Amino acid sequence: EDQVTQSPEALRLQEGESSSLNCSYTVSGLRGLFWYRQDPGKGPEFLFTLYSAGEEKEKERLKATLTKKESFLHITAPKPEDSATYLCAGRGGGSEKLVFGKGTKLTVNP
Amino acid sequence: DVKVTQSSRYLVKRTGEKVFLECVQDMDHENMFWYRQDPGLGLRLIYFSYDVKMKEKGDIPEGYSVSREKKERFSLILESASTNQTSMYLCASSLSRVRAFFGQGTRLTVV
C-alpha cells in the first residue's frame, strides 16, 4: 500500500530561522511528488511537483528536493506569512490518485 | 487560472438527511476527486472519477456515493448523513500526471 509520512507534525520557528520539512514515501512507481500549502479553512494551494530523484524546484524562500525515498521542503529565512500547513502527496504508477501525508503545521513567529 | 468551485463553504445538516456536495471545474480536466480532511488524519480519498460516468472507490467510500454526468461536474452524495461525517470536504481536479487543483472546501456539520 502506498504511504506518505511527513515530519515533524508541527514546527515553530523564529522569523529568519531556516529549517526543513521532511516527506518520506513508499509509493510504487512514483509518477510525481507534490507539495501544497494550506491556510486555515482553505483548500490546498499548489507549490511544486518533482518527478525524479535529484530534481530541485525553488520559489521565493522555498526549495523542494527529491531523493529515491524522501523529499524535503527547505525554508530559508522564513517570514510570519509563511505560517501554514504544508502537505506532501505522491502519485503512483497506474493511478491518478494522490496519497497525502498528514502535513506539517509551520508557525513562524515575528 | 484553473477554477474549482464547491457549491457551499459551510453546511449544516441533520442526521439522516441526504446531502449533496457539488463541485465544478472550468478547465476540461478528466480527473476529479473528493477528499475529506480531519484533524490528525490528513486528507483521505473518498472517490475519484477519471471520465464521465466512470468512478473508482478511494480509501473511505463507505456511506458515500458520487455522480459524474458531465465532465465539469462531480457530486458527492451522503445517502444518510451521520455525525461522524462532520468534516471538511475538498474537491480537486487534474489532467493526467500533473498537479491537482483544489476547491476552497466545504465544512459540513451534521447535527
Side-chain angles (χ1 to χ4, degrees), chain A residues 1 31-32 34 36 38 40-47 49 51 85 87 91 95-103, chain B residues 9 31 33 35 37 40-43 45 48 57 59 88 90 94-105 107:
Chain A
E1 186 184 326
R31 296 191 304 147
F34 302 83
Y36 287 84
Q38 187 177 25
K42 296 189 176 180
E45 190 180 308
F46 172 78
L47 292 173
T49 309
Y51 287 105
T85 296
L87 300 169
R91 176 180 280 141
S95 173
E96 292 296 326
K97 291 192 291 187
L98 284 176
V99 177
F100 278 86
K102 293 180 182 180
Chain B
R9 288 296 306 274
N31 304 311
F33 310 84
Y35 288 88
Q37 186 175 32
L41 297 178
L43 272 81
L45 182 64
F48 75 101
K57 291 180 181 179
D59 301 314
M88 171 73 124
L90 290 161
S94 77
L95 292 170
S96 289
R97 302 192 63 188
V98 295
R99 61 176 166 163
F101 293 82
F102 281 84
Q104 76 276 29
R107 186 162 294 283

Side-chain angles (χ1 to χ4, degrees), chain A residues 21-53:
Chain A
L21 313 183
N22 177 265
C23 169
S24 46
Y25 64 90
T26 50
V27 176
S28 179
L30 186 78
R31 296 191 304 147
L33 189 292
F34 302 83
W35 282 97
Y36 287 84
R37 170 195 169 123
Q38 187 177 25
D39 293 304
K42 296 189 176 180
E45 190 180 308
F46 172 78
L47 292 173
F48 303 109
T49 309
L50 302 164
Y51 287 105
S52 54

